[in-house]
Each structure stands twice: as structure tokens, then as C-alpha cells.
Amino acid sequence: MKKFLRENSLGLAFGLLFLVVLIGEAVAGHADFNQRQLSEGLQPISFDRYVTSASFAVDVTENWQSEYLQFFLYIYLTVWLLQKGSPESKELHKPGRESDENQMVGAYATDTSPAWAGASGLRHALFSHSLGLVMGAIFLLSWLAQSITGVAAYNEQQLGKLEDPVSWGQYLLEPDFWNRTLQNWQSELLAVTSMVVLSIYLRQRGSSQSKPVGAAHAATGVEG
Amino acid sequence: MTGRGDAAAAVAVRMLTAITQQDGAGACAALAPDTAAELEQSADKPCVEAILDENLPAPGPVSASHVYGQWAQVRLSGDTVFLAVFPGGWRVVAAGCTARGDRPYDCLLQGG
């Protein structure tokens, strides 16, 4: 058990932090929602009602979609794009899909390779892109969920202002949808840009996301 | 219409019907607290009297009702009514409302 915890501590810690923060968001969001209800002369709602509401769902999914978009783009763009000196980049002579030998696929698969790495055809193609495909699919699904929950939350506000609700198609053209979307995209892209560039010159001793402290600034594709 | 939409429409029709029957108490019972208070303050009369002076239209057939979260909009022929959820169920926040394009509805009866 102790060994399992140590060998999986990264995933477990982030999973636990995710749950704690999600609960915190629900508690804070519930309080915020009810403050607005009371200020408008309306009734506060229960916690159960809030966590199943469109208001909570759109606040959650608008962040999810941008995170998965970030990883999807990062996974695909780092196949081709390089950053000299960054541990986030591949070495400068390796842009592109690389050779089968380098990727340990087909005839170069080893005994410990996943079964589909040694397969051919569709299974090989799917497994070779599975990380990006799954991230991209979760991005699209969470963005769709944002639009569906977003239109319901937006329409609740519309009725509260004594205005007409809009259809899902109309909502996709509303500033509310694009403001929620783009404010998340810009922050994710800034964070990635910062990581790519700052990791050229700065170090975090012992971190897999940093070059070794003594590595040259020009050293590329080297992780600690 | 959904179950919640039906319930909201029933409250809107009940309030408008009470007014046509000169039942001020019945109509005020269907109002949201802030809407009743606003009506009393602006008319300087008790709600049960003031609501009968508001010239709200008689209830026509319900053509649509939309429910989102804590709010509902009920469209009747000749009137649009906005309702919100309170402990006793749906209550009328605004009635006698006329659309004004992209601006909020103009309502004869409306909460503060």
C-alpha cells in the first residue's frame, strides 16, 4: 500500500486537490448565487439544487474545456514546433513524427511495448494518436457542455432581467458565450507560453518539469 | 410545456383570473413579496385594493412557458408574465408585460 501511494503520489495528489477545490468552488458559488438571489428579493436555493444547476455547471465546464484545449494543442504542436533551451520542447533535430525505431512501433516494438504499438493499421494509428485524440475529444465535449449549460444559465439571467430567453443557436453568437470561452483560453495560453519560455532560464531543482539546475540555458529537451 | 412550466402557467392564470373576478386577496396571494410591496408603495393602498386598479388583461390562452432555474416566463395571448420560485411555489414578479425588442419588457405590474 505504502509503495503504491509513493509510486502514484503525483496522480493521487492532483486528483485529491481537484476534488477539494471543486467542493470549494461549489460552496463559494452557492454562497455567491444566494447573495444575488437575496439582493434581488428572491429565495436562496439549497446546496443540492445549486450543484445541479446550469449556473454551477457552466462555471465548471468553461474551465474544463480550456484546460483540455491547452493540453490538446500542446500535445499536437510539440510534435512539430520547437523552443531552443526549453525542457518543454523536443531536441532541435527531432521535429515531426520521428522514425518508427525512435518511437518503438511496428517492427521496433519491444516486449514491454503496449500491444497496439506493435500492431498495424487502424489500431496502430489510433494508439499513436490516442493521447491527443482523447484530450481533443474531452475538449469538444466539455465545450459542448459549456454551451448547453451556458444557454440555460444565460436564459435564467435573461428572465430575471425581464428579457426573452434565446435558443442554443442564438447563444453561440452571444458575447456571454465567447467571453466565457476566450477569457479561459487566453489564460491557458499565457500559462503555457510562460512555462515554455521561463523554463529556458529558470530552474526548479528536482522537478521533472525543469532542466537540471546546472544545465546550460541552450540545452533543449532535457528534463531533470 | 414541462411540469414546472405548467405549474408556472397555472399561477399566472390564477392571478389574472382572480383580478377579473375582483378577488384582490386571491391575486395578491400569487404575487412575489417584493412585487406586492412595490405595488402597495406606489399606489399607497393595500395590495388587495391596488392590484384591481392595475388594468391587467384577462387571462387568454397560454401559448408558451419557458423555465430556466429559478425563473419562468409565461406567454398568454395579450400578456406576458414573469415568475420566480418562492417557498410556496411560483410567484408572479411581473405581469402585463409588453416586449420592447432587445430591451427589457415594459410591465404594468413589476417588483422593485
Side-chain angles (χ1 to χ4, degrees):
Chain A
M1 182 65 178
K2 206 170 170 182
K3 185 176 176 229
F4 174 84
L5 288 176
R6 189 174 70 82
E7 291 181 350
N8 296 281
S9 53
L10 189 59
L12 289 170
F14 272 95
L16 198 63
L17 282 171
F18 162 71
L19 290 176
V20 169
V21 173
L22 185 65
I23 292 167
E25 181 187 355
V27 171
H30 179 232
D32 180 50
F33 187 92
N34 278 344
Q35 258 179 10
R36 279 182 279 128
Q37 286 284 104
L38 290 170
S39 72
E40 292 166 11
L42 303 171
Q43 279 302 117
I45 64 173
S46 69
F47 185 74
D48 289 355
R49 184 115 203 176
Y50 177 70
V51 295
T52 54
S53 72
S55 293
F56 179 60
V58 70
D59 286 349
V60 169
T61 53
E62 73 173 41
N63 285 282
W64 286 7
Q65 59 87 4
S66 68
E67 302 298 337
Y68 284 99
L69 173 66
Q70 175 201 139
F71 281 116
F72 169 74
L73 288 178
Y74 206 42
I75 290 161
Y76 268 92
L77 293 183
T78 51
V79 173
W80 299 99
L81 305 183
L82 304 168
Q83 181 60 55
K84 185 176 179 181
S86 178
E88 299 295 316
S89 167
K90 295 201 287 189
E91 293 169 77
L92 300 178
H93 63 281
K94 286 186 175 173
R97 291 161 41 81
E98 301 183 24
S99 66
D100 284 359
E101 184 176 9
N102 246 328
Q103 290 289 311
M104 297 188 292
V105 293
Y108 299 97
T110 67
D111 292 343
T112 57
S113 296
W116 285 24
S120 57
L122 183 64
R123 284 185 303 164
H124 168 74
L126 271 178
F127 189 65
S128 295
H129 297 90
S130 53
L131 187 58
L133 286 173
V134 167
M135 291 293 184
I138 298 176
F139 157 63
L140 289 175
L141 287 173
S142 50
W143 199 21
L144 177 67
Q146 178 202 322
S147 72
I148 293 168
T149 55
V151 70
Y154 180 76
N155 281 341
E156 185 175 6
Q157 292 175 8
Q158 285 288 100
L159 296 186
K161 292 186 291 182
L162 307 185
E163 293 184 35
D164 281 327
V166 299
S167 68
W168 179 73
Q170 289 170 319
Y171 179 67
L172 297 186
L173 302 174
E174 287 289 338
D176 183 79
F177 175 67
W178 287 103
N179 185 35
R180 283 180 179 277
T181 297
L182 295 175
Q183 67 171 308
N184 283 285
W185 288 4
Q186 61 83 15
S187 68
E188 300 307 332
L189 295 172
L190 175 66
V192 171
T193 307
S194 303
M195 189 65 191
V196 167
V197 175
L198 292 178
S199 60
I200 299 171
Y201 303 104
L202 306 179
R203 306 286 185 274
Q204 187 64 48
R205 184 171 180 157
S207 173
S208 67
Q209 302 305 299
S210 166
K211 292 192 280 193
V213 178
H217 289 336
T220 307
V222 182
E223 295 196 334
Chain B
M1 279 187 283
T2 63
R4 294 185 76 203
D6 288 341
V11 172
V13 169
R14 193 168 76 222
M15 186 203 71
L16 294 171
T17 303
I19 293 173
T20 61
Q21 295 170 347
Q22 297 294 301
D23 175 10
C28 287
L31 289 186
D34 274 18
T35 305
E38 177 78 15
L39 175 64
E40 290 185 334
Q41 192 178 4
S42 63
D44 199 21
K45 286 182 188 176
C47 178
V48 293
E49 294 174 25
I51 198 164
L52 302 178
D53 299 335
E54 288 296 308
N55 295 320
L56 289 170
V62 174
S63 58
S65 69
H66 303 287
V67 175
Y68 293 98
Q70 303 301 295
W71 281 89
Q73 180 196 51
V74 176
R75 291 184 185 162
L76 308 94
S77 68
D79 194 4
T80 299
V81 178
F82 289 87
L83 305 96
V85 174
F86 286 87
W90 291 106
R91 293 291 179 267
V92 173
V93 174
C97 299
T98 311
R100 294 188 296 177
D102 286 340
R103 298 175 60 201
Y105 275 69
D106 182 32
C107 302
L108 294 171
L109 177 66
Q110 183 178 331

